[in-house]
């Protein structure tokens, strides 16, 4: 199994967002297809500002199922693994754009006019919502604010 840690953590201990090269993309596809084991997901929990209830919503599972994954060290299904990778990459991108983790997390938790007065973190339960947040971060990064 491809190691989530190997894919997410660079040699210097920093988090890697870049996955545009073909080799890395193939590794991520393999990881998603095999599923992310809960112990690897637990490392992401330390990085992300979300509660277990929020993660359960994002992964479209109950809080109890998420708890069972933890207790039994289960592997997430493909769809859930893909969502974990997408959110992880989004969080890293946002931290890069804001150049400050705390400011980014405050933005994620704030009502946003661009999203119809919805908090960005409330959009992470769908791939469309993740794409919307990523697009908005791109606009912020390039100074295109509406």
């Amino acid at each position: 199994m491809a190691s989530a840690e190997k894919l997410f953590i660079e040699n210097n201990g920093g988090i890697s967002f870049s996955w545009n090269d073909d080799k890395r993309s193939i590794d991520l596809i393999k990881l998603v297809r095999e599923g992310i084991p809960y112990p690897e997901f637990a490392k992401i929990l330390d990085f992300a500002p979300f509660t277990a209830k929020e993660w359960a919503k994002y992964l479209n599972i109950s809080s109890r199922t998420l708890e069972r994954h933890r207790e039994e060290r289960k592997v997430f299904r493909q769809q859930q693994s893909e969502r974990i990778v997408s959110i992880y990459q989004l969080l890293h991108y946002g931290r890069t754009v804001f150049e400050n983790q705390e400011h980014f997390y405050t933005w994620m938790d704030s009502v946003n006019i661009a999203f119809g007065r919805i908090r960005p973190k409330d959009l992470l339960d769908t791939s469309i919502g993740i794409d919307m947040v990523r697009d908005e971060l791109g606009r912020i990064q390039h100074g295109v604010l509406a």
Side-chain angles (χ1 to χ4, degrees), residues 60-122:
N60 195 28
I61 59 177
S62 69
S63 295
R64 180 62 189 127
T65 298
L66 184 60
E67 180 65 20
R68 272 195 304 274
H69 272 70
R70 184 187 64 78
E71 291 169 356
E72 300 171 18
R73 302 170 63 89
K74 286 187 168 188
V75 174
F76 288 96
R77 293 188 328 252
Q78 181 175 335
Q79 181 183 17
Q80 296 159 339
S81 294
E82 187 167 25
R83 181 70 42 84
I84 291 166
V85 169
S86 295
I87 290 172
Y88 183 91
Q89 290 177 328
L90 178 75
L91 291 174
H92 186 270
Y93 180 46
R95 288 173 55 168
T96 301
V97 168
F98 277 80
E99 298 179 352
N100 179 295
Q101 175 178 307
E102 204 169 300
H103 292 150
F104 170 57
Y105 290 167
T106 298
W107 180 81
M108 287 288 290
D109 199 35
S110 299
V111 171
N112 190 302
I113 294 171
F115 299 134
R117 307 196 68 66
I118 297 172
R119 299 179 306 173
K121 75 177 191 175
D122 292 336

Side-chain angles (χ1 to χ4, degrees), residues 7-8 18-19 23-33 85 89:
L7 294 171
F8 293 144
S18 175
W19 62 290
K23 169 72 170 102
R24 188 163 175 79
S25 293
I26 295 300
D27 287 345
L28 283 172
I29 289 168
K30 182 179 178 186
L31 172 69
V32 165
R33 286 179 176 162
V85 169
Q89 290 177 328

Side-chain angles (χ1 to χ4, degrees), residues 130-144:
I130 292 169
D131 289 344
M132 287 175 62
V133 174
R134 184 179 298 115
D135 289 347
E136 185 65 18
L137 288 170
R139 286 189 281 279
I140 292 169
Q141 183 178 33
H142 291 69
V144 182

Side-chain angles (χ1 to χ4, degrees), residues 25-59:
S25 293
I26 295 300
D27 287 345
L28 283 172
I29 289 168
K30 182 179 178 186
L31 172 69
V32 165
R33 286 179 176 162
E34 292 174 351
I36 295 175
Y38 190 91
E40 297 296 332
F41 174 66
K43 295 172 185 173
I44 296 168
L45 291 175
D46 293 337
F47 173 75
F50 308 126
T51 65
K53 184 177 179 179
E54 289 169 328
W55 272 111
K57 177 185 172 194
Y58 302 153
L59 300 177

